[in-house]
Each structure stands twice: as C-alpha cells, then as structure tokens.
C-alpha cells in the first residue's frame, strides 16, 4: 500500500485531456464526450482541482493498445476516417464498427487519450505516487479484443488492469454502470488473478450477458461475479446488495488494487437507463470502495443525460477528495445546462422498483455460495518481479 499523504489524506491524481470534449460521435448519438469537459469545468469551479494533482494523459501507443487488442484491429482504428469508410466496409463489419460504434473524426486519438489516462493512473498507483487515480474519460467496458461494442472501441480498463497486474497478485474490478461489464469480464474470464463483479440491468437489455450463472471458466471459475437486476433499482436496494457483496469479496479475495467503473447511466432519469439511483446513492458505492483502503483506479463509463453525468462525476471527485461541496452549483461554462434548479443533486423519480427484497437476497445467497469455491488467499507478500503477467494468457 502506498503511504498516505500528510494527515492521512489520500493522495489523488486526476487525468484529463482538453481535447476530449471535441470528439463527436455524430448527430443524435447518445454518447457525448462533451460530458467529460462539462464535469471538468464544474469541478474546476468548485475549486476541487486544488486538492489533487492534475495530469494530461500521455496518449496510449499502438504497442500499448496491442497489449490486449489484436494488431489488425488497432491498425484498422488508426487508419479509418469518415472520408475512407467506403473503402473499408468489410473491415467495418468484421470489427463491428458502424451504427452503435460509428467512425468519427479523431477516433484513434480518442482511444489513445481515454486509454492513456487509465494506463497512466495504474502506473501512478503501481509506483506508489498516488492512493487514488481518476480518469473520467475511461471506463469503456464493452470493447473486445478484436471488435468495438456498445460505443466502446479500446478497452482502457483491461489495459489498466494488465498494468496493475505487474505489481499486484490480485486485482478487483467493480462495475456500477447499468450495462454488464462484458468486455472486461471476457478478457479475464479464465484467470483467478482478476475478479470481475458487475451490478447491472439484465433481461432484454444490452449487451444481454451477465446472468448470475456466468461465473468464469478454467482457473477463473467462480471469479466472475454477476448481479442481474431489474428496472427501478433505488438507493436502499442497491446498497443492500453492493455493500455485503463487496465486503465479502474484500475479506476473502484480498485484492492488491481495485478498479471501479462508475458508469452514470445507473442514475435516475438517464436517457438510456432504467434505474432510479440518486447521485448520493451512486457515490455511496465510491465511499464504500474507498473505505477498503486499497490503491484504487476510478473510471467513468456510460451516462447519457449529460448534465447528470457531469454532476455525478464532480460530486464523486469531491467524495474521493473528502470535500464537502455546496448543492448550489457555482457559475460555470455550461451553467445553462443545469436549469431550472441549478443544483448539484437530483431527485429520484416515483418509478416502481421491480427488484423484490427477497429476490435480491436469493441472488446474494447464490453469489455467496459461488465464493465458497475460491482458493483461500495465502498471507504471503508477493514480490513485484514475480508478478509479471503474460497478456497472451488473457483471452
């Protein structure tokens, strides 16, 4: 564990690229990188930047991206532009690039920046230069080894976890996006060195994976944890499962580092979501994870009502920093987006919670049963030189 800063406070580093808000998926597309710029501007105007070290990410190199992705896929991302799509129709089909995950200007640079921030955060944690690293432009959990999926092209999370595995025997990945973290789960499905846990809407919903029965395979059997949920998930129901599951995982698995994907599409009123979490309820997951006192990488993810995404990630930045901030929004470059109330917090709706308490208890019981199959963790410190991970072992 990295030693904490003066007064026992967490040392926080934050990655942000000024260009991120310029990338544009296209008219009518729900994914808007502009939300990252809005969040950054809001946290600047709250004065939160003074409490952390801010870095511009070094763009991930071709070689770094290929530590998980196939070379021909990354070469395709590097070469494709809106002007030459007609020449690459077969490749676009092969790599699943098109409608959901369109070609746009600067696509490759966008992937480099998003991945660079997550890898950079992992390096800071590995070197003991920070206790917590934040990259709100990361968290693109659907991207696969050889294809784009669900608005995601390069899987910055997998790349960051591979970096963390150089120094840590075990890494815990937690996903609170409303969509199943399928790309990350698939990458580490056959290893016990990465435990993936995802709380997500399941049933007639993208990407259609993440049943409680999906538990991993081979050495990774029982090291994929899935908690399938229904519409209307509220704060109290969410915490009734999140805290006991994560607490049990921490006790039994004892990870050396945590990666937390904070997709904000699980908030109430999301354009593509159907949960009913408040910002404070979403942030309670961040609080609980940070209370474990393990080096933690915090990433963005989904979130399609952009004024609420920026509110959420600003508030969660404050939570990471241990700062109380006013519910009255400070004036900022995007102030008009937050009208008519101009408040930080949002009220949950009156939608019905379809998640029955007894069903949640049964699911939690199944997950605890799966955990009984884990190999007990030996209480042995591992030397960094023994911990090198072979990316070829990752599916």
């Amino acid at each position: 564990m990295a030693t904490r800063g003066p007064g026992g406070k967490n040392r926080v580093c934050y990655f942000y690229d000024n260009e991120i808000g310029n990338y544009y998926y296209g008219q009518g597309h729900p994914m808007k990188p502009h939300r990252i710029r809005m969040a950054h501007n809001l946290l600047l105007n709250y004065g939160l930047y003074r409490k952390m070290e801010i870095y511009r990410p070094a763009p991930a190199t071709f070689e770094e991206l290929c530590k998980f992705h196939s070379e021909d896929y990354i070469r395709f991302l590097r070469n494709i532009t809106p002007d030459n799509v007609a020449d690459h129709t077969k490749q676009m089909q092969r790599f699943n690039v098109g409608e959901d995950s369109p070609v746009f200007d600067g696509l490759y640079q966008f992937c480099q920046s998003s991945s660079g921030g997550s890898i950079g955060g992992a390096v800071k944690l590995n070197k003991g230069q920070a206790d917590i690293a934040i990259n709100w432009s990361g968290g693109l959990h659907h991207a696969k080894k050889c294809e784009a999926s669900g608005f995601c092209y390069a899987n910055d999370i997998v790349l960051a976890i591979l970096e963390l595995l150089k120094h840590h025997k075990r890494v815990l990945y937690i996903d609170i996006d409303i969509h199943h973290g399928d790309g990350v789960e698939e990458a580490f499905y056959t290893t016990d060195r990465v435990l993936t846990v995802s709380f997500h809407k399941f049933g007639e919903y993208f990407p259609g994976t993440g049943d409680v029965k999906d538990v991993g395979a081979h050495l990774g059997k029982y090291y994929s944890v899935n908690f399938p949920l229904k519409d209307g998930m509220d704060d109290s129901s969410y915490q009734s499962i999140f805290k006991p599951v994560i607490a049990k995982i921490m006790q039994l698995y004892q990870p050396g580092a945590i990666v937390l994907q904070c997709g904000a599409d699980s908030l109430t009123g999301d354009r593509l979501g159907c949960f009913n979490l408040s910002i404070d309820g979403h942030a309670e997951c961040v609080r609980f994870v940070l209370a474990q006192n393990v080096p933690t990488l915090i990433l963005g993810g989904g979130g399609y009502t952009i004024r609420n995404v920026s509110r959420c990630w600003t508030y969660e930045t404050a939570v990471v920093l241990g700062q109380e901030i006013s519910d009255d929004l400070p004036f900022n470059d995007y102030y008009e987006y937050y009208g008519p109330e101009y408040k930080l917090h949002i009220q949950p709706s009156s939608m019905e919670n379809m998640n029955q308490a007894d069903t949640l208890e049964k699911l939690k019981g199944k997950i605890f049963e799966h955990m009984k199959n884990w190999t007990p963790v030996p209480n042995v410190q591992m030397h960094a030189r023994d911990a090198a991970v072979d990316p070829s072992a990752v599916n």
Side-chain angles (χ1 to χ4, degrees):
M1 176 71 207
T3 51
R4 304 206 170 260
K9 279 203 184 295
N10 283 316
R11 293 162 310 141
V12 180
C13 67
Y14 167 95
F15 287 81
Y16 177 72
D17 184 341
N18 279 321
E19 293 297 312
I20 206 77
N22 294 335
Y23 299 111
Y24 183 57
Y25 276 61
Q27 194 170 6
H29 198 288
M31 178 61 110
K32 301 192 186 309
H34 178 59
R35 68 208 174 119
I36 319 281
R37 179 184 281 162
M38 287 173 62
H40 181 71
N41 193 261
L42 192 53
L43 68 85
L44 287 184
N45 282 284
Y46 267 116
L48 295 172
Y49 67 96
R50 296 190 198 99
K51 309 285 183 184
M52 55 189 179
E53 293 191 349
I54 298 184
Y55 296 93
R56 184 174 185 176
T61 63
F62 181 87
E63 291 72 25
E64 285 176 320
L65 293 169
C66 291
K67 289 197 168 135
F68 170 58
H69 295 286
S70 69
E71 287 193 18
D72 51 351
Y73 173 55
I74 295 300
R75 202 171 289 115
F76 164 77
L77 291 180
R78 190 171 64 181
N79 295 335
I80 193 79
T81 69
D83 297 330
N84 67 15
V85 288
D87 306 328
H88 293 87
T89 48
K90 276 196 173 154
Q91 277 190 305
M92 285 176 66
Q93 285 176 332
R94 178 184 162 201
F95 297 125
N96 198 33
V97 169
E99 287 182 22
D100 268 3
S101 307
V103 176
F104 57 84
D105 281 323
L107 169 57
Y108 184 63
Q109 289 73 26
F110 173 73
C111 295
Q112 287 183 293
S113 174
S114 166
S115 299
S118 298
I119 297 166
V123 169
K124 287 280 179 198
L125 297 176
N126 278 350
K127 287 184 173 174
Q129 293 171 347
D131 305 303
I132 304 164
I134 302 172
N135 177 31
W136 292 127
S137 67
L140 303 178
H141 59 173
H142 296 306
K144 308 286 172 57
K145 185 182 178 77
C146 302
E147 65 177 57
S149 176
F151 320 155
C152 306
Y153 306 86
N155 200 314
D156 62 286
I157 307 169
V158 172
L159 294 167
I161 292 172
L162 288 173
E163 188 63 39
L164 290 168
L165 286 171
K166 293 176 184 175
H167 286 256
H168 299 284
K169 178 72 174 162
R170 290 173 300 282
V171 175
L172 169 61
Y173 171 69
I174 305 169
D175 192 315
I176 61 171
D177 192 291
I178 195 171
H179 299 96
H180 177 229
D182 59 334
V184 185
E185 179 185 275
E186 188 177 296
F188 299 110
Y189 207 62
T190 58
T191 178
D192 58 0
R193 290 194 57 200
V194 180
L195 175 65
T196 61
V197 53
S198 178
F199 301 83
H200 49 268
K201 156 81 174 169
F202 182 71
E204 300 291 307
Y205 201 68
F206 183 86
T209 49
D211 196 318
V212 70
K213 298 193 291 281
D214 300 333
V215 296
H218 308 302
L219 277 178
K221 191 168 186 188
Y222 301 114
Y223 290 89
S224 292
V225 174
N226 284 298
F227 211 121
L229 301 167
K230 296 179 179 162
D231 292 17
M233 197 67 191
D234 60 22
D235 291 353
S236 60
S237 289
Y238 206 91
Q239 295 312 320
S240 78
I241 58 170
F242 184 85
K243 288 180 177 176
V245 167
I246 299 304
K248 192 78 168 166
I249 287 171
M250 292 304 299
Q251 178 197 341
L252 297 175
Y253 189 67
Q254 295 178 25
I258 298 174
V259 178
L260 174 60
Q261 196 267 22
C262 296
D265 45 10
S266 42
L267 292 174
T268 186
D270 187 79
R271 179 176 165 185
L272 299 185
C274 53
F275 283 1
N276 199 19
L277 298 183
S278 71
I279 287 171
D280 196 51
H282 195 271
E284 187 61 23
C285 298
V286 178
R287 282 192 196 92
F288 192 75
V289 168
L290 295 183
Q292 309 308 316
N293 285 328
V294 170
T296 302
L297 176 62
I298 292 185
L299 305 173
Y304 307 100
T305 299
I306 61 174
R307 63 183 180 275
N308 292 344
V309 178
S310 53
R311 285 173 159 124
C312 181
W313 292 345
T314 297
Y315 182 64
E316 288 174 349
T317 304
V319 165
V320 168
L321 294 167
Q323 299 295 306
E324 296 284 330
I325 56 174
S326 170
D327 191 33
D328 294 315
L329 291 174
F331 189 74
N332 62 86
D333 291 355
Y334 306 101
Y335 195 64
E336 70 280 4
Y337 281 70
Y338 304 104
E341 63 285 349
Y342 304 102
K343 298 287 186 188
L344 177 63
H345 289 280
I346 55 175
Q347 295 307 308
S349 75
S350 57
M351 77 185 292
E352 186 185 354
N353 183 1
M354 307 301 287
N355 299 275
Q356 304 292 331
D358 58 340
T359 309
L360 294 178
E361 281 301 311
K362 279 182 193 150
L363 285 165
K364 194 168 73 180
K366 282 184 185 171
I367 285 166
F368 284 175
E369 281 299 311
H370 295 159
M371 291 181 191
K372 290 179 180 172
N373 295 287
W374 291 352
T375 308
V377 171
N379 290 320
V380 179
Q381 285 298 311
M382 181 177 175
H383 299 291
R385 66 173 178 275
D386 301 330
V389 68
D390 176 7
S392 66
V394 176
N395 285 11

